[in-house]
Amino acid sequence: MKLLYRRTLGLLLALATMISCVTLLPASADALAGSDYTQWRQDDPEWNETAAWSGGWSSFLASSGCWVTSISMLLRQYGLVSSDVDEFNPWICCGILAEHGALLDSGDMVLSQLGEAFPGFDYVGDYSYSVDTLREKLSEGYACSILVNYGGHMVAVRGVLEDDTVVVMDPGSDCTELDDFGGSAVTILCFGPV
């Protein structure tokens, strides 16, 4: 009986300590820059202090990092990487991709190498954009991104609502719906299944 009492008391003390630690966190802890992956931007100064690859002005994530940032967002969305921004963010993703041959010195992506960099996140193909095709690929368990601006920009897909609204994470702006890009969606890229 004493052993059960001690264990129960120990668990209660541990729980009380954990609760007090949580309540002592600053109110802004959830809003720290970079902690919300849905708000990651390719031009964030944190991952633009140094060129990501060779190539002059376009060697920074700010100018041509929509692919890396979108892939980073999808990896976080599906829980395939650490949720700690100090352990995983677009800059760290860029390094991992380069280390595994999925990102060349020119900044070009080698999609066939994504699974080497992030096992379980293989590039499986691309499809002409339609909301029906997107729904189908998501229901099959794939993470999806969409090329918009007629192929000049990539956004990550969060999901499709019942009314066919496609919710996206745009690494280049605060756009949250595919409709924000007019009719410029051309290609769905699929990864996984996740």
Side-chain angles (χ1 to χ4, degrees), residues 10 19 28 50-51 62 75 87 129 138:
I19 290 170
S28 62
T50 307
L75 288 163
E87 293 177 16
Y129 176 77
L138 290 171

Side-chain angles (χ1 to χ4, degrees), residues 38-58:
T38 67
Q39 299 300 309
W40 282 348
R41 298 295 176 262
Q42 66 193 66
D43 63 353
D44 189 311
E46 185 174 341
W47 31 86
N48 279 283
E49 293 177 8
T50 307
W53 49 80
S54 57
W57 69 271
S58 65

Side-chain angles (χ1 to χ4, degrees), residues 11-22:
L11 287 171
L12 288 173
L13 286 172
L15 181 62
T17 302
M18 185 175 68
I19 290 170
S20 67
C21 288
V22 170

Side-chain angles (χ1 to χ4, degrees), residues 1 19 35 41 45 53-54 62 70 74 88-89 129 134 143 153-154 165 185:
M1 185 71 162
I19 290 170
S35 63
R41 298 295 176 262
W53 49 80
S54 57
S70 291
L74 290 173
F88 186 81
N89 58 49
Y129 176 77
L134 180 60
H153 184 58
M154 179 190 268
T165 299

